[in-house]
């Protein structure tokens, strides 16, 4: 796996004259040459507006657009006409909230969310609840960050009409019991929305096996370009939903006083699409599949295990969530006693180590955990044991740099 790092040009640069140790992969990943070359080739040879022209170049652009859709469908084990291209996970979730939530939820219906949700899968449902009169009900994790059977039984009831949850937490890296949630939602007659932004880069997502109604993820967290995202939806649900955005290419016909809409999925793809990004996403999927899920998971779990073991040896460090590495997918969040998370991140950056500090777009979870912010280190296929060791060696000096005296070494 160490040779994978050579596929990523940005990882060859230096930060503060130090080797770049990129550990902010939960925010966005670096892009391999294979993806960069695919995007470059599209714009050099096939660039045109898909579904618009009858000339050969436009036909090639349309083929690139639809071939990318087919690639994503295969990646999720879905049908191509159940795949909608968006800008990112956030747009995908907003599309569901506005085209499904606003349309089909009503007063006193209950929307079940986890308190650990990213704001993108929380704020849209707040707006739906405010507009429709539906009620928000929150699932709260235990001290290790897990949702228990008791909590699911208590919160998913006959009043539940929609459950919207992240497959993997972007703060704790912990996978939810998605099968148990979907089983209870089916019994209640509720729809399930799965935010796969943090799961799709780390574990296979089979929407048919899970029997999830909607799923969303972003290309840029999956080694693809920014500006391209995916929404999966069961076709029978998508066909009932009005369009989220209106305009070019999502119409059937338009008259002065009326309009009809195109069939799914084009109904939800208004305007010119980011075909270059879609081509890059298809190439990123090919890249991941060439490595293999077993190799990816074994490698990333090894990095997480090494990091957790090292963190346990550093005094005055608190790690949040389950400490078993096999319970996490690429993410560790922590704080250093008496040091603001932003100061920790700044000091690590002086050694060329990039981590994220803040509330991670999960303020309700921060409030529930009793903290304002934390530091997050997140790992990807190109990270190495050397990256982990550099991170740990730098972190053990943070309190000393902040004037708290010497700390015991690793």
């Amino acid at each position: 796996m160490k040779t994978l790092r050579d596929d990523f040009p940005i990882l060859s640069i230096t930060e503060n004259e130090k080797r770049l140790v990129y550990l902010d992969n939960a925010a966005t990943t670096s892009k391999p040459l294979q993806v960069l070359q695919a995007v470059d080739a599209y714009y050099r040879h096939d660039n045109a507006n898909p579904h618009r022209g009858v000339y050969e170049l436009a036909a090639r652009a349309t083929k690139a657009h639809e071939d990318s859709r087919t690639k994503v469908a295969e990646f999720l084990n879905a049908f191509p006409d159940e795949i909608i291209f968006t800008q990112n996970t956030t747009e995908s979730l907003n599309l569901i909230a506005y085209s499904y939530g606003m349309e089909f939820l009503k007063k006193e219906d209950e929307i079940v969310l986890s308190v650990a949700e990213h704001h993108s899968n929380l704020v849209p449902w707040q707006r739906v609840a405010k507009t429709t009169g539906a009620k928000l009900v929150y699932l709260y994790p235990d001290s290790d960050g897990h949702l228990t059977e008791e909590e699911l039984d208590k919160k998913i009831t006959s009043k539940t009409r929609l459950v919207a949850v992240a497959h993997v937490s972007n703060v704790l890296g912990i996978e939810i019991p998605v099968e148990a949630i979907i089983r209870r939602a089916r019994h209640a007659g509720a729809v399930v929305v799965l935010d796969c932004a943090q799961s799709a880069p780390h574990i296979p997502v089979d929407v048919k096996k899970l029997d999830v109604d909607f799923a969303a993820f972003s290309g840029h967290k999956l080694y693809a370009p920014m500006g391209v995202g995916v929404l999966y939806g069961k076709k029978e649900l998508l066909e009932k939903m009005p369009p989220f955005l209106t305009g070019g290419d999502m119409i059937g016909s338009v008259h002065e006083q009326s309009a009809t809409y195109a069939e799914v999925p084009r109904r939800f793809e208004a305007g010119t699409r980011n075909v270059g990004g879609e081509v890059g996403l298809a190439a990123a999927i090919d890249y991941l599949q060439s490595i293999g899920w077993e190799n990816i998971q074994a490698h990333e779990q090894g990095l997480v295990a090494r990091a957790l073991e090292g963190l346990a040896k550093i005094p005055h460090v608190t790690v949040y969530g389950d400490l078993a590495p096999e319970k996490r997918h690429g993410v560790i969040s922590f704080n250093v006693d008496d040091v603001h998370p932003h100061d920790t991140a700044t000091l690590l950056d002086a050694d060329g180590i990039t981590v994220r500090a803040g509330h991670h777009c999960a303020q309700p979870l921060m409030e529930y955990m009793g903290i304002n912010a934390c530091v997050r280190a997140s790992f990807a296929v190109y990270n190495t044991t050397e990256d982990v060791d550099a991170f740990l060696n730098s972190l053990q000096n943070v309190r000393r740099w902040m004037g708290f005296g010497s700390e015991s070494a690793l």
Side-chain angles (χ1 to χ4, degrees):
M1 299 290 284
K2 288 184 178 180
T3 60
L4 291 180
R5 184 180 171 93
D6 296 334
D7 290 338
F8 295 81
I10 197 170
L11 299 181
S12 65
I13 69 172
T14 57
E15 289 289 310
N16 302 311
E17 299 183 350
K18 301 288 180 68
R19 173 181 179 272
L20 176 61
V21 177
Y22 185 76
L23 299 179
D24 194 21
N25 296 287
T28 195
T29 53
S30 299
K31 319 307 174 193
L33 278 168
Q34 292 86 338
V35 168
L36 300 177
Q37 290 166 350
V39 176
D40 180 71
Y42 169 76
Y43 282 114
R44 285 179 184 271
H45 303 293
D46 299 323
N47 180 54
N49 214 319
H51 296 302
R52 302 305 207 277
V54 296
Y55 49 89
E56 182 181 345
L57 193 61
R60 292 207 302 269
T62 300
K63 185 176 187 302
H65 173 56
E66 295 302 338
D67 284 353
S68 298
R69 191 192 310 278
T70 299
K71 178 70 67 175
V72 172
E74 293 170 351
F75 181 67
L76 295 177
N77 189 26
F79 297 111
D81 57 0
E82 295 176 315
I83 299 300
I84 297 162
F85 284 120
T86 62
Q87 293 185 85
N88 43 45
T89 307
T90 299
E91 184 184 341
S92 296
L93 294 169
N94 273 271
L95 193 162
I96 305 165
Y98 282 86
S99 290
Y100 184 87
M102 294 290 193
E103 196 74 14
F104 297 104
L105 296 181
K106 60 185 184 300
K107 188 174 182 179
E108 302 303 323
D109 284 348
E110 291 186 352
I111 302 169
V112 175
L113 311 172
S114 165
V115 77
E117 293 311 304
H118 189 284
H119 297 163
S120 294
N121 199 32
L122 193 155
V123 177
W125 300 111
Q126 288 180 338
R127 298 191 69 181
V128 169
K130 184 176 181 179
T131 300
T132 64
K135 179 183 177 182
L136 298 180
V137 176
Y138 284 94
L139 298 164
Y140 296 99
D142 64 16
S143 58
D144 286 333
H146 296 289
L147 296 175
T148 65
E149 295 279 340
E150 293 76 15
E151 183 70 358
L152 299 183
D153 287 337
K154 181 180 177 181
K155 301 297 177 63
I156 302 176
T157 71
S158 60
K159 295 182 180 180
T160 304
R161 290 295 169 264
L162 185 138
V163 182
V165 283
H167 198 181
V168 170
S169 166
N170 74 308
V171 176
L172 303 175
I174 294 173
E175 184 177 354
I176 63 166
V178 62
E179 292 88 354
I181 289 172
I182 292 174
R183 185 168 60 250
R184 286 167 172 80
R186 290 288 167 263
H187 187 262
V191 165
V192 178
V193 179
L194 197 61
D195 174 359
C196 299
Q198 295 298 331
S199 60
H202 301 287
I203 56 177
V205 177
D206 187 327
V207 294
K208 298 302 184 190
K209 183 178 179 180
L210 291 172
D211 191 31
V212 67
D213 297 291
F214 297 101
F217 71 90
S218 293
H220 72 93
K221 297 180 191 292
L222 194 82
Y223 311 98
M226 293 183 178
V228 61
V230 169
L231 168 63
Y232 157 80
K234 288 183 176 178
K235 189 174 181 181
E236 60 266 28
L237 293 176
L238 294 175
E239 288 178 334
K240 298 176 183 178
M241 293 160 50
F244 175 46
L245 300 172
T246 55
D249 208 41
M250 52 70 61
I251 55 90
S253 62
V254 178
H255 310 285
E256 286 190 5
Q257 303 296 329
S258 64
T260 61
Y261 306 128
E263 296 298 313
V264 170
R266 288 177 64 184
R267 177 185 305 175
F268 299 102
E269 293 182 346
T272 299
R273 312 315 299 165
N274 178 12
V275 183
E278 296 163 8
V279 167
L281 176 55
I285 290 172
D286 283 338
Y287 184 80
L288 278 179
Q289 292 176 332
S290 72
I291 301 169
W293 283 118
E294 288 187 6
N295 293 326
I296 292 169
Q297 290 175 276
H299 176 67
E300 293 179 345
Q301 190 175 109
L303 297 176
V304 170
R306 190 181 186 95
L308 287 172
E309 182 182 0
L311 287 167
K313 297 176 181 178
I314 303 176
H316 305 290
V317 171
T318 300
V319 176
Y320 302 106
D322 198 317
L323 297 179
E326 65 272 14
K327 299 294 185 180
R328 292 175 176 263
H329 297 291
V331 172
I332 300 174
S333 291
F334 64 93
N335 270 324
V336 179
D337 290 351
D338 306 312
V339 181
H340 193 283
H342 289 169
D343 291 330
T344 299
T346 300
L347 291 168
L348 292 177
D349 183 52
D351 279 339
I353 298 160
T354 65
V355 295
R356 179 59 60 94
H359 55 65
H360 311 293
C361 296
Q363 285 184 286
L365 177 61
M366 298 291 115
E367 292 174 354
Y368 179 69
M369 293 165 57
I371 59 177
N372 293 320
C374 59
V375 185
R376 183 184 68 191
S378 50
F379 304 92
V381 295
Y382 44 68
N383 288 124
T384 63
T385 55
E386 290 81 5
D387 290 341
V388 175
D389 292 345
F391 158 67
L392 294 171
N393 288 332
S394 182
L395 184 65
Q396 69 175 334
N397 294 313
V398 164
R399 279 176 57 87
R400 178 174 59 81
W401 286 331
M402 293 298 293
F404 291 102
S406 61
E407 303 287 1
S408 60
L410 287 172

